[in-house]
Amino acid sequence: MRTSIATVSVSGTLPEKLAAIAAAGFDGVEIFENDLLACPLSPEEVRLRAADLGLSIDLYQPFRDFEAMPVPDLRRAAHKFQVMERLGADTLLVCSNVSPAAIDDDELAAAQLRSLAELAAEHGVRIAYEALAWGRHVDDYLHAWRIVRMADHPNLGTCLDSFHILSRGSDPIGIEAIPGEKIFFLQLADAPLLAMDVLQWSRHYRCFPGQGGFDLTGLVGNVLNAGYTGPLSLEVFNDHFRQADAARTARDGMRSLIALRQALGRTAHPAVPTGYAFAEIADTNALRGVLTALGFAPTGAHPSKPVQLWQQGDARLLLNATGDDPALISLGLDSPDPARAVEHAGSLLSPVLPRERAPEEAPLDAIAAPDGTEIFFCGTEWRGDFAPGGTVAGPITHIDHVALTQPWHHFDEAALFYRSVLGLRPQESLELPDPYGLLRSMAMSTAPGASTVPGTSTAPGMPTASTALGTPGVPAASGTSGVPAASGPGAAGGSDGRVLRLVLNLARVGAGDVPWQHIALACDDLLATARRLRAEHPELLLPIPGNYYDDLEARHDVDPCLRELGVLYDRDADGEFLHLYTVTLGRVFFEIVQRIGGYRGYGAVNAPIRLAVQHADGH
């Protein structure tokens, strides 16, 4: 199907918008009237510019407050049709009336729309009538269709807008009763599921398909079943998109439509990652003492790059001797078919990054996440690049999850990237208190039932986002008291039953904060590990306030040793969770976690404690 996007969806002047939209690979464009009115180019010049860029002008919009009025404004309509002839646009979007002067009379509305369609036909224009979710008398798509059917004119049809339909909770199955030839246009927008005024929701929080909570795959399926053959077009009102780079936003919009078409075709992800192969950290020497204290040891060195492999169990960290401060720079993800995973990423506009390698080195391709983190899809061949030094046994078994910072204006892009490129599915979202605002979290996972993972990020004076990827393991027996039952490596994770989890967090944080990243390490005996660290390296552990334990002991019957060791605790209906944090070095800190029973969360209830301590003590 052809693809289109409304110019209101991206930032810039109209010529800049058209260039960005064409570069992203769209077939056509909806011209938003304000963009044309503010443009120094004439309609004829805009038409030529679009044609030179390979773009058709699929829709001119919006025409407001026309139908069911005491006197229809056909003079204004005639002027719009003349502009459209000069512009080369053949379809006009007419929104349902919101004027207080509008009359609640469907027969009057139909008669006036028929008159409008007759005038439009003289100019070679079609009218696509759309029900606004906040329309004064017409706010439902089936109501709009009844009026169109009553008017009975070949140049009058309906425009279906996913936001106006799904924000009201309307069942889209009724779309299949509308003849496909009378669906003149389809506009698509997703949105987070918010409890707020629908007009404000629409004007500020729309996003691209796959970035919100609407079932757009189902709705588009209904439209196609009705026989619609027009373009899939994006119409997104979003404050962040209006400020972001137009080319990047347009490319993200195209990615959303590619992913939507794959979902409609029931195209399965060819190689969903199953866990972590490694996490790579840029580090001169600052982290080596911390890793040694945690039980890691160097087990290999790269033959041509300043990179060392540090390992404990199946937890593998690459220390890259570049940069000034520790920072997470890449993730290696275990993939059942790395080549197909890279090909799939490329189909979603995530090109393979250029990478130098010697002929004898393993071929390892990477793509870039929205924040610049390199994502590698790995088998086991990459380990051959490191001179073997054996494995290191210890209580840490594997990487449980990783938290990555995201700039605030890339939050929605990151959500779509991880959902489409890695095959993750969105889970529930929640808001966590931070000393300087709220941290809004959206969880994603390769398996259902996952809950939110706390994380954080910063950008002075502006909201930011962080992502967390995790691989919780196969549940072990659940502990029944405040002293958790031991869980072995199988409980912490393994090749069977692991899932990959991601959480996007959007927060308002204070100026000067560290854009934290953290790596969570799964442990099969956290209390023993905490005792050793408390005795040998107390300076590495994040101090937890006594007030936290006063409250914890009031809520749960927990062992007093948790207070003594600085271990945090959570439980749900399926199991228990123990975790502790190290102080931050550069941008990186570590979390050590133990999952007991079927616990699937990440101790989100404790995230505000960690955030407050990090802010207050500079950790």
Side-chain angles (χ1 to χ4, degrees):
M1 297 185 67
R2 296 179 64 255
T3 58
S4 186
I5 185 172
T7 56
V8 74
S9 305
V10 298
S11 66
T13 64
L14 182 55
E16 291 171 338
K17 292 171 186 254
L18 293 176
I21 289 167
F26 284 91
D27 301 307
V29 64
E30 303 177 33
I31 299 291
F32 195 68
E33 184 175 58
N34 285 356
D35 288 323
L36 180 65
L37 298 183
C39 181
L41 301 180
S42 69
E44 291 85 357
E45 290 172 321
V46 171
R47 177 179 186 171
L48 288 174
R49 180 69 60 88
D52 288 344
L53 292 169
L55 295 173
S56 60
I57 298 178
D58 297 329
L59 188 76
Y60 187 63
Q61 63 124 330
F63 189 58
R64 302 184 188 276
D65 297 338
F66 173 81
E67 87 287 5
M69 293 292 279
V71 179
D73 193 353
L74 289 171
R75 177 180 176 277
R76 178 167 60 103
H79 173 74
K80 299 298 180 189
F81 297 148
Q82 292 168 6
V83 170
M84 291 177 65
E85 284 186 286
R86 298 170 61 195
L87 193 60
D90 66 358
T91 304
L92 176 68
L93 175 68
V94 176
C95 303
S96 63
N97 208 318
V98 299
S99 170
I103 300 167
D104 187 9
D105 185 335
D106 286 359
E107 291 186 358
L108 177 63
Q112 292 182 353
L113 285 172
R114 181 177 178 82
S115 297
L116 182 67
E118 289 176 351
L119 180 60
E122 297 175 11
H123 296 268
V125 171
R126 303 187 309 167
I127 303 299
Y129 181 53
E130 172 188 69
L132 294 177
W134 53 90
R136 184 149 187 97
H137 302 299
V138 179
D139 60 6
D140 178 79
Y141 76 96
L142 287 176
H143 190 177
W145 161 237
R146 288 196 298 271
I147 293 173
V148 167
R149 186 173 56 188
M150 191 182 304
D152 189 24
H153 194 284
N155 282 58
L156 178 65
T158 188
C159 174
L160 298 176
D161 183 305
S162 64
F163 182 86
H164 294 306
I165 295 170
L166 298 177
S167 66
R168 299 185 73 257
S170 300
D171 189 343
I173 189 65
I175 293 171
E176 299 191 17
I178 304 174
E181 66 273 12
K182 297 301 285 184
I183 302 175
F184 280 5
F185 211 73
L186 173 64
Q187 294 178 317
L188 299 174
D190 208 336
L193 303 181
L194 303 174
M196 65 184 307
D197 173 74
V198 69
L199 177 57
Q200 295 303 311
W201 190 12
S202 173
R203 286 288 177 259
H204 302 285
Y205 297 100
R206 293 197 196 193
C207 51
F208 292 136
Q211 295 176 337
F214 290 160
D215 178 15
L216 293 189
T217 304
L219 181 143
V220 175
N222 296 137
V223 176
L224 297 181
N225 288 342
Y228 175 72
T229 58
L232 299 179
S233 189
L234 300 171
E235 186 200 36
V236 173
F237 299 87
N238 185 293
D239 295 343
H240 294 168
F241 291 8
R242 290 187 179 105
Q243 302 173 54
D245 177 74
R248 187 164 183 161
T249 302
R251 185 171 60 250
D252 201 38
M254 177 55 70
R255 177 185 288 134
S256 77
L257 290 182
I258 295 170
L260 178 60
R261 288 189 296 197
Q262 290 177 350
L264 288 166
R266 302 187 182 276
T267 303
H269 192 292
V272 175
T274 57
Y276 285 96
F278 61 81
E280 182 177 9
I281 305 170
D283 173 56
T284 50
N285 283 304
L287 286 181
R288 301 184 184 209
V290 176
L291 294 182
T292 300
L294 294 178
F296 283 81
T299 60
H302 198 279
S304 64
K305 299 179 176 65
V307 179
Q308 268 194 333
L309 171 61
W310 287 62
Q311 189 168 347
Q312 184 176 176
D314 287 330
R316 303 176 189 90
L317 303 176
L318 302 183
L319 297 191
N320 190 323
T322 59
D324 298 324
D325 291 317
L328 193 61
I329 58 175
S330 78
L331 293 173
L333 304 180
D334 287 322
S335 173
D337 191 336
R340 291 189 66 198
V342 170
E343 181 182 1
H344 175 73
S347 74
L348 290 158
L349 309 183
S350 298
V352 176
L353 296 173
R355 183 170 177 268
E356 294 183 2
R357 66 178 182 88
E360 66 275 9
E361 294 175 8
L364 198 60
D365 293 325
I367 59 173
D371 68 343
T373 301
E374 295 185 357
I375 304 293
F376 291 87
F377 297 100
C378 307
T380 58
E381 67 286 348
W382 69 273
R383 301 182 206 173
D385 288 347
F386 293 86
T391 59
V392 178
I396 290 173
T397 59
H398 67 285
I399 296 175
D400 184 86
H401 63 277
V402 175
L404 304 174
T405 60
Q406 297 292 325
W408 69 274
H409 50 290
H410 296 164
F411 177 80
D412 290 316
E413 181 184 359
L416 179 60
F417 173 87
Y418 288 110
R419 182 173 184 172
S420 59
V421 174
L422 298 188
L424 305 183
R425 287 179 282 175
Q427 306 295 329
E428 65 177 314
S429 63
L430 58 96
E431 292 182 339
L432 304 172
D434 176 274
Y436 300 100
L438 288 176
L439 200 73
R440 182 170 64 86
S441 300
M442 183 178 69
M444 309 180 83
S445 173
T446 53
S451 59
T452 335
V453 183
T456 188
S457 60
T458 58
M462 296 298 294
T464 63
S466 97
T467 63
L469 299 131
T471 54
V474 180
S478 176
T480 57
S481 69
V483 181
S487 59
S495 60
D496 296 330
R498 289 192 189 178
V499 298
L500 190 67
R501 290 184 179 177
L502 164 99
V503 169
L504 302 180
N505 294 324
L506 183 64
R508 176 189 178 275
V509 290
D513 290 335
V514 176
W516 292 306
Q517 305 164 320
H518 84 264
I519 300 171
L521 305 166
C523 178
D524 59 12
D525 191 344
L526 186 75
L527 296 184
T529 300
R531 287 191 182 93
R532 182 182 63 80
L533 290 173
R534 183 65 60 187
E536 299 175 5
H537 304 282
E539 74 284 357
L540 295 182
L541 300 181
L542 194 71
I544 305 301
N547 293 332
Y548 166 78
Y549 294 100
D550 292 341
D551 178 70
L552 178 64
E553 290 164 2
R555 292 184 292 113
H556 300 293
D557 180 19
V558 295
D559 193 305
C561 74
L562 300 185
R563 180 193 294 261
E564 171 192 342
L565 299 174
V567 172
L568 296 98
Y569 176 85
D570 189 31
R571 73 184 342 169
D572 60 18
D574 300 311
E576 298 167 288
F577 187 62
L578 299 175
H579 58 139
L580 59 79
Y581 300 100
T582 71
V583 296
T584 304
L585 292 171
R587 297 177 57 189
V588 177
F589 66 93
F590 295 94
E591 180 184 10
I592 306 176
V593 308
Q594 181 180 359
R595 300 178 182 276
I596 302 161
Y599 182 90
R600 291 181 176 271
Y602 282 70
V605 68
N606 297 324
I609 309 302
R610 188 257 300 170
L611 289 165
V613 174
Q614 287 177 314
H615 279 297
D617 294 345
H619 293 285

